[in-house]
Amino acid sequence: MATLSAVLVMGVSGSGKSTVGALLASELGWKFYDADDYHPEENRMKMGKGIPLNDQDRIPWLCNLHDILQRDVASGQHVVLACSALKKVYRDILIQGKDGAPLKCDKLGKEEKPAEVKLLVVHLTGSFEVISGRLLKRKGHFMPPELLQSQFNTLEPPSAPENFIQISVDKNLSEIIAIIMEALK
């Protein structure tokens, strides 16, 4: 566990990322970030109108999240991030920044190498039917259930050489947390 500096809880909207991420962070005593809290207002408005985000919308948001991870990891803080991170390139940006190099190296001297974000990707998986059922019950979220299909269409599940585990959303919360804790050992 000492070599890992962050856990990314990823999946489509409604897969339980925020719930699992917050509980995991609490169990581990790590800092928790919900990527949804960092969407610019334009992204929220676009999704609220039922328009899926494109790479142009997502990349600045992902770069901002990368900078937050980078800052925390550099200061020795361990982090749990709940983020859809649907494509491999998005996960790469979270780990390495855009084009494999951080966009901003706040407070880092030119000679200093930024801390590497060593990440375990936890992919919460479930069928369209199960997850859309969950979304329909969710109240007050800017992501409308109609956009779920676009998320499934965009999804590139993690694969080697990514450091990842997949967990079905059919499991209960305590089982999901136990599986992640075991993977972190």
Side-chain angles (χ1 to χ4, degrees):
M1 183 151 75
T3 58
L4 282 174
S5 49
V7 172
L8 167 65
V9 182
M10 65 155 291
V12 296
S13 186
S15 60
K17 299 179 297 291
S18 301
T19 304
V20 169
L23 184 57
L24 180 66
S26 166
E27 292 271 324
L28 292 167
W30 291 10
K31 197 160 186 181
F32 174 67
Y33 291 101
D34 188 333
D36 283 348
D37 296 341
Y38 295 86
H39 267 299
E41 194 52 40
E42 309 83 76
N43 285 8
R44 290 171 177 271
M45 286 167 55
K46 195 172 179 178
M47 288 184 282
K49 290 177 186 161
I51 304 166
L53 298 181
N54 58 33
D55 287 358
Q56 246 178 323
D57 301 317
R58 287 188 180 106
I59 288 174
W61 168 66
L62 292 164
C63 288
N64 181 33
L65 292 168
H66 163 77
D67 291 343
I68 291 166
L69 284 176
Q70 190 74 53
R71 179 197 67 214
D72 281 12
V73 167
S75 72
Q77 175 70 57
H78 287 76
V79 178
V80 176
L81 171 66
C83 179
S84 52
L86 297 173
K87 291 183 180 178
K88 183 178 186 318
V89 68
Y90 300 165
R91 296 185 294 275
D92 290 345
I93 290 170
L94 287 171
I95 297 167
Q96 302 160 352
K98 192 167 184 253
D99 305 323
L103 289 186
K104 295 182 253 171
C105 290
D106 331 320
K107 299 179 199 87
L108 284 178
K110 282 194 176 97
E111 310 308 309
E112 245 182 298
K113 189 178 181 293
E116 190 183 338
V117 179
K118 290 193 172 44
L119 192 71
L120 172 66
V121 177
V122 175
H123 180 202
L124 299 176
T125 63
S127 70
F128 181 84
E129 293 69 33
V130 167
I131 292 176
S132 68
R134 286 174 162 203
L135 274 182
L136 291 170
K137 292 181 190 132
R138 187 157 76 175
K139 300 279 180 264
H141 194 275
F142 59 83
M143 172 79 182
E146 304 82 63
L147 286 181
L148 183 59
Q149 188 58 57
S150 73
Q151 291 217 323
F152 269 94
N153 295 346
T154 302
L155 179 64
E156 294 171 5
S159 59
E162 290 180 273
N163 180 24
F164 74 98
I165 58 173
Q166 284 193 164
I167 305 174
S168 169
V169 299
D170 296 332
K171 296 191 179 311
N172 68 42
L173 201 49
S174 59
E175 285 179 294
I176 291 172
I177 297 299
I179 292 167
I180 299 169
M181 296 297 273
E182 187 58 35
L184 288 172
K185 285 184 180 168

